[in-house]
Amino acid sequence: MMANYKKQCGPGYKSPLDAYKNGKRETILYTICIQPNPQINNKPDYLATVDVDPASSTYCQVIHRTSMEKSGDEIHHFGWNTCSSCYDDCTKSRNKMILPSLGSDRIYVLDVTDEKAPKLHKTIEPSEVHGFNVSALHTTHCLPNGDVMISTMGDAQGNGKGDFLLIDAEKGIVKGTWTNGETAKFGYDFWYQPYCDVLVSSEWGTPKYFKTGFHPEHVNDIGQDGIAPLEIRFLHDPKASEGFVGCAVNSSIFRFFRTSGGTWNAEKVIYIPKKTVKDIKGIRVDNFEVSGMITDILISLDDRYLYFSNWLHGDIRQYDITNTSKPRLVGQIFLGGLVLKDGPLVVIEDSELKEQPETVFVKERCLYGSPQMLQLSLDGKRIYVTTSLFTPWDKEFYPECVKHGSTLVKIDVDTINGGLTLDPNFLVDFGKEPDGPIMAHETRYPGGDCTSDIWLAED
């Protein structure tokens, strides 16, 4: 994976701190939009180009939609053909986006030469993916050698299998799989650190089961705090040998690190207490516990702050990770969730809050659902938040959000002392899309961002 650092002639910024200090402010966003009922309207998913330039006449509006070819794809975590890991390669440019589909296993390659109006470049059909006995595509990262890697969660029949596809984005072909020898039993997210010569991946479950919804009986006990390690991030410092992973089911953050002896270990550094609740709608008559369910995490480019979303509790948290072994909570904001005052549950016991949060409105629009996917500006001052996790789960936990559509909101960040504040003047309402309410998932910037770029050079 290594590449020799020289000087810029390729894409991105020379280092994380260069991007943090000198990166351009985002003026447009790319947000993937999922049709929640493709079996009814037969409409395809699409990539929305959103204007986020405060000086623009179309601020907070979708200014272009790039539709996929087929319906029912459930496009998921997308990425670039190349990123800052190819900073010194004059033959590379960030001119393609790769959009894998969790539902259909189809892969779309989009040309972004015109940043405001991406267009379809190539389509890789499911049969080409299944030919390598993999399915359930998840995370996309570009590699320093110019290939694109996509993690997979299943085999061609939907059984658990963690592997990685290698893609030639320009030709629009699958080159093969990356793993040599035995594959992992499950897959999900991944991140690599070239200086350590290591790739770390996480796992979710068996596709043919989780695609039908959340089934508690399918959760295996692999150590209660560590169940379902999902989003995983190394520190951005190219020579750092540590990072964090969010474990969803019981809401813990683990720090993973290389020991002085050269082996790898992990320690739990954050735990979100469960809330004891009762169901006022009468579906359950007994009291039960609701975990936070950490579904997305990210780290600021200066490696000072860790952010994550609790999809069931409904809050976003900001931790100072100057001491990575002892993260310190410095910011928190509720934007929805299951434990609102007027929600479906009543909290009986809560070791953190004295009262349940209020329902949140932006420009008189209710924020149905809960904060899920996060994207941080290069300078760390703005977080963009969407609400969709995965359509079957969205329908199960937040049917009102599916009915009314997702929202995209902006959180202003205090990068000096810590703190999160909702911008009352920023809202993209995906419930008002031309073909009806849409579920908005991941967001990226044209010039790269803190969850897609990996660096080889220090400042």
Side-chain angles (χ1 to χ4, degrees), residues 38-102:
Q39 71 280 8
I40 297 175
N41 62 16
N42 200 35
K43 298 289 186 179
D45 301 338
Y46 55 88
L47 182 78
T49 305
V50 181
D51 187 337
V52 294
D53 181 358
S56 172
S57 62
T58 54
Y59 182 56
C60 288
Q61 295 180 29
V62 176
I63 58 175
H64 188 268
R65 298 170 183 85
T66 308
S67 292
M68 304 302 108
E69 288 188 321
K70 303 290 179 63
S71 65
D73 283 318
E74 185 97 24
I75 52 178
H76 211 58
H77 289 196
F78 63 116
W80 301 100
N81 61 321
T82 187
C83 69
S84 293
S85 63
C86 295
Y87 178 86
D88 64 338
D89 189 341
C90 300
T91 68
K92 304 299 180 185
S93 62
R94 198 193 307 255
N95 60 2
K96 301 288 190 307
M97 278 190 296
I98 293 79
L99 284 68
S101 301
L102 177 53

Side-chain angles (χ1 to χ4, degrees), residues 74-221:
E74 185 97 24
I75 52 178
H76 211 58
H77 289 196
F78 63 116
W80 301 100
N81 61 321
T82 187
C83 69
S84 293
S85 63
C86 295
Y87 178 86
D88 64 338
D89 189 341
C90 300
T91 68
K92 304 299 180 185
S93 62
R94 198 193 307 255
N95 60 2
K96 301 288 190 307
M97 278 190 296
I98 293 79
L99 284 68
S101 301
L102 177 53
S104 69
D105 301 325
R106 190 172 285 107
I107 303 170
Y108 295 99
V109 181
L110 271 54
D111 186 318
V112 292
T113 304
D114 181 348
E115 289 187 344
K116 291 186 177 181
K119 62 182 180 180
L120 185 63
H121 175 68
K122 296 282 186 179
T123 300
I124 299 174
E125 293 296 337
S127 59
E128 300 175 62
V129 173
H130 298 164
F132 292 94
N133 195 30
V134 293
S135 68
L137 313 179
H138 194 268
T139 297
T140 306
H141 277 302
C142 50
L143 304 181
N145 66 0
D147 286 340
V148 175
M149 181 181 283
I150 303 175
S151 60
T152 71
M153 295 183 282
D155 64 14
Q157 288 73 45
N159 302 301
K161 180 184 180 183
D163 206 341
F164 306 89
L165 281 176
L166 294 175
I167 306 295
D168 183 317
E170 188 62 39
K171 295 181 180 179
I173 60 172
V174 181
K175 298 178 66 175
T177 52
W178 180 76
T179 304
N180 290 319
E182 184 179 359
T183 58
K185 186 175 181 179
F186 300 106
Y188 190 76
D189 196 23
F190 73 101
W191 197 279
Y192 65 88
Q193 198 74 317
Y195 275 100
C196 298
D197 194 26
V198 66
L199 180 151
V200 180
S201 63
S202 58
E203 63 182 28
W204 186 4
T206 304
K208 64 184 179 182
Y209 296 135
F210 68 65
K211 285 187 177 184
T212 63
F214 177 62
H215 303 285
E217 68 274 15
H218 293 162
V219 176
N220 293 319
D221 183 1

Side-chain angles (χ1 to χ4, degrees), residues 11 18 30 67 102 115 145 184 189 246 250 282 285-286 294 313 365 382 384 392 425:
D18 179 39
Y30 299 127
S67 292
L102 177 53
E115 289 187 344
N145 66 0
D189 196 23
N250 285 314
V285 296
D286 59 320
I294 298 170
H313 286 178
R365 208 290 200 178
R382 296 166 298 282
Y384 296 94
N425 298 311

